[in-house]
Amino acid sequence: MQRKSFSISGRVQGVGFRPFVFRLAERYALSGTVRNGPEGVLLEVQGAEAALSAFAASLVAELPPLAQISAMSEADISPVEGEGAFRIIASSAGLAHEVLISPDVATCDDCLNDLREPAGRRYRYPFTNCTNCGPRYTITRAMPYDRAQTSMSCFPLCPDCAAEYNNPRDRRFHAQPNACPLCGPKVWIPDSAFEVDAAIKETARRLCAGAIAAVKGLGGFHLVCDATDDSAVARLRAAKERPHKPLAIMCANMDEARRYVDVSTDEERLLMSLERPIVLCPARGDNAGGGLSKLISPDTAYIGVMLPYTPLHHLLLEDAGRPLVMTSGNRGGEPIALGNREALTRLGGIADLFLLHNRDILIRTDDSVLRPMLGKSLQDGDAALMYLRRARGFVPAPLALSAQGAPILAPILGLGAELKNTVCLSRGREAFVSQHIGDLQNIETSAFQAEIVQHLASVLQVEPKGVVLDAHPDFANQSSGLFPALPRKTLQHHFAHAAAVLGENAVSGPALVLALDGTGYAPPDLDADCNIWGGELIFCDLEAGRMERTGSLGLMHLPGGEAAIRQPWRIAHGLLHRLDLLDGAKNLPWLPEQEKAADLIPQMIGRDINSPLTSSAGRLFDAVAALLGLCLETSYEGQAAIRLEDAQGKAAGEPKILPCPLLENPRAGVALGLDTDALFRAIFQAMKEGESVPALARAFHASLAEGFAELALAGSHRHGTRLVGLSGGVMQNMSLLILLKEKLRERGLTPLTHHRLPPNDGCISFGQVVWGQRNF
Ligand code: ZN
Ligand code: ZN
Ligand code: FE
């Protein structure tokens, strides 16, 4: 007879871990106890030596689907006389909670069967869940994860549900959101007689008749309409003031999805994963055997698809019998609505009807957006997928900051970037990056950010030692209310990109990073001319505390400042003027009113009126897209580049390589440059000679990738490192990313990409933490 104790940390609470241990102990005829503690799960087991080792092996090998062990220690202790059975004992509330809240999880197959069993007590019940599935993060107020700390606290369990909850052999043992039609939440359509199941059927019926519905979901409201109905989609776009940005759709199942998009094994794996993200899939050549509306994704050949992840979705999609548009329930720029009253007010002008429920959403969380990495160039260690938005399903799972055994660094809070904001808080060796918060351009989003910072700090129970902010001067004011007493430091935007991609790849020594994105402020101590950065080669040695810009793209004017970002034709016109190409420019694609405004641009630049300079790679894509007539004005960020990438996909054959030469000391304080002027000039010439738009788009991608690779190679010679991190929103361009990785490898360089964070500004908060840990 032996007795052993195990202390297990990781994602082990609220995921069916204790009943799993209980069943194992029964299987091996062991006695003992299991309980939740402040650092995870503590268990003691007693029995024959062989049974104990079989138990220990099964513990690791048969882990429940949602559980994850991050550390486990084992010790021999003295046996207890006369212990009868194995028992689950009450949780001890502790101070420092090392346990992790699980992200929300898609409905499991067992629960789906319950939902479809006409004789069962959960037939068509939209809040069916169990220990292996259901809401977690979005309904949890505080730790430890117990019903009383969730928005289920106001629904006392009925006797049947309580029996399940208390039975360790039941799938719903300690399932905190456990509920049934008798005791749990309900759905209804306000100002109508439609309740529970009738409300779902009525919503489906009206959607099929062209209505726009606001449907309360897991992490917020969705605006929903029939994805095959042009006029419904057009009406939704008009009401949401979102003319072109792609809309996600939800399909009832894989078979339905296959009717509209091409699904390879990679996409299928992502679509079916527990996280159920929106997955960008290629639209079928015939754009949908079943006739998906062309307005869903007018700018690209990709469609964002997801499968149902709550019982309510399953019922709604089955009843509707067609794919539905499911887009965040907000007006452009605001965070997704989460309360019933809030939604009725904010979405009242958009939705024709509301499908509400009374299980409160405590933590707002949007749908995540992912795509598999494409291309034959995938090598060992490469990321297999790209995150475009990391939120529901992934948050709050932590990212590793340092290896076991390495010293633990101070907890740091990173407040992220202004656009696509996330925040990040570290604890021990892990970093917790928040869900996508959005653009900090209105009070609602700033309030959402503050809420998430407080929530993260309280569930993790850490007080950060320092706060890292973006160097943009506006940022300091916006976030002054968050931990005002803590020491603060600022980090330039592209340096944060560099730290983020290197941190994700566990590189803390010398490395280069190509940070390619829209725009980022650079303070005067980094750039005496205060030009706006956005196409930079950064040398970074985190351990040595070194971070410097070593290379940069050519400068372009932004005539009209912010207006030039919304109207890329202005950037193109400014470049044509500066390169003395306007004289030979016939048939520019500008519209009549743009022609008029264009006449003023040379003067604006000449007199330096609101025409800042930028080295932004994103703006170069904008300028080329405008020159080619693909996108003169944008209605969402990245639109011009998306159209340019889409156009290059229509070209056949090997791309022409146009000149984009390397420059030594292009300007003060910059050692290496790329002559992007030469590339723009070459595209203009080829366009005049009648080269097709797709061929030019393709030549631009290939030539620029060639230029970036040469720039990185020159940086590698200078700094003696072969590692090249790739970060920034431009890296969402899969065609460019594939080319660039190939061209870097051809030169003996090693590309490093993001693995679990988006390359866009969603990664900035993590980079701030990686840097901050070594700088306070
Ligand atoms: Zn389940
Ligand atoms: Zn019940
Ligand atoms: Fe950025």
Side-chain angles (χ1 to χ4, degrees), residues 435-620:
Q435 65 269 49
H436 165 84
I437 290 171
D439 300 347
L440 298 180
Q441 288 169 331
N442 55 51
I443 302 167
E444 289 84 0
T445 319
S446 297
F448 178 24
Q449 188 202 37
E451 205 175 286
I452 293 303
V453 167
Q454 301 300 347
H455 183 254
L456 262 185
S458 98
V459 298
L460 298 175
Q461 304 198 353
V462 277
E463 168 90 352
K465 201 178 154 218
V467 180
V468 185
L469 308 168
D470 195 89
H472 196 291
D474 287 353
F475 209 92
N477 310 332
Q478 264 169 2
S479 54
S480 54
L482 299 166
F483 294 101
L486 290 181
R488 302 173 156 240
K489 289 190 176 180
T490 61
L491 181 64
Q492 197 278 334
H493 184 93
H494 301 96
F495 288 179
H497 271 298
V501 69
L502 297 180
E504 270 205 74
N505 286 278
V507 173
S508 56
L512 293 160
V513 174
L514 277 165
L516 308 171
D517 67 2
T519 43
Y521 172 84
D525 60 319
L526 293 179
D527 187 337
D529 300 324
C530 274
N531 295 321
I532 299 164
W533 291 14
E536 318 305 320
L537 181 67
I538 314 279
F539 173 69
C540 182
D541 185 339
L542 286 165
E543 226 120 78
R546 275 183 74 190
M547 200 54 116
E548 62 201 50
R549 174 169 73 161
T550 185
S552 181
L553 303 194
L555 295 173
M556 297 177 301
H557 287 99
L558 297 176
E562 284 289 310
I565 296 177
R566 289 187 305 272
Q567 303 179 355
W569 69 267
R570 288 169 173 266
I571 308 174
H573 201 84
L575 257 176
L576 291 170
H577 163 67
R578 188 164 59 74
L579 301 179
D580 271 330
L581 296 171
L582 277 178
D583 278 350
K586 303 238 159 43
N587 304 326
L588 287 174
W590 308 167
L591 301 170
E593 65 270 29
Q594 292 166 346
E595 292 274 11
K596 252 183 267 164
D599 291 342
L600 298 174
I601 284 180
Q603 289 177 44
M604 290 177 74
I605 291 173
R607 295 193 201 149
D608 196 16
I609 302 165
N610 193 19
S611 299
L613 284 162
T614 183
S615 51
S616 163
R619 299 291 90 87
L620 181 63

Side-chain angles (χ1 to χ4, degrees), residues 107-111 129-134 171-172:
T107 310
C108 74
D109 288 344
D110 291 331
C111 285
N129 66 81
C130 74
T131 319
N132 300 323
C133 75
R171 197 172 95 241
R172 297 195 165 91

Side-chain angles (χ1 to χ4, degrees), residues 121-122 157-162 179-184:
R121 65 191 194 95
R122 290 192 176 85
L157 292 163
C158 71
D160 285 344
C161 287
C180 77
L182 215 63
C183 66

Side-chain angles (χ1 to χ4, degrees), residues 48-63:
E49 192 178 345
L52 280 176
S53 46
F55 170 87
S58 298
L59 196 60
V60 178
E62 298 173 30
L63 221 49

Side-chain angles (χ1 to χ4, degrees), residues 166-183:
N166 292 314
N167 176 4
R169 291 174 193 85
D170 194 280
R171 197 172 95 241
R172 297 195 165 91
F173 175 74
H174 280 213
Q176 306 304 347
N178 190 24
C180 77
L182 215 63
C183 66

Side-chain angles (χ1 to χ4, degrees), residues 675-716:
D675 191 353
T676 41
D677 286 354
L679 178 55
F680 190 82
R681 192 190 298 270
I683 287 174
F684 179 74
Q685 287 306 337
M687 191 174 113
K688 278 206 332 195
E689 286 155 20
E691 187 68 270
S692 79
V693 167
L696 285 172
R698 186 159 194 150
F700 172 71
H701 278 76
S703 314
L704 192 60
E706 189 83 14
F708 286 145
E710 281 297 308
L711 179 65
L713 183 63
S716 156

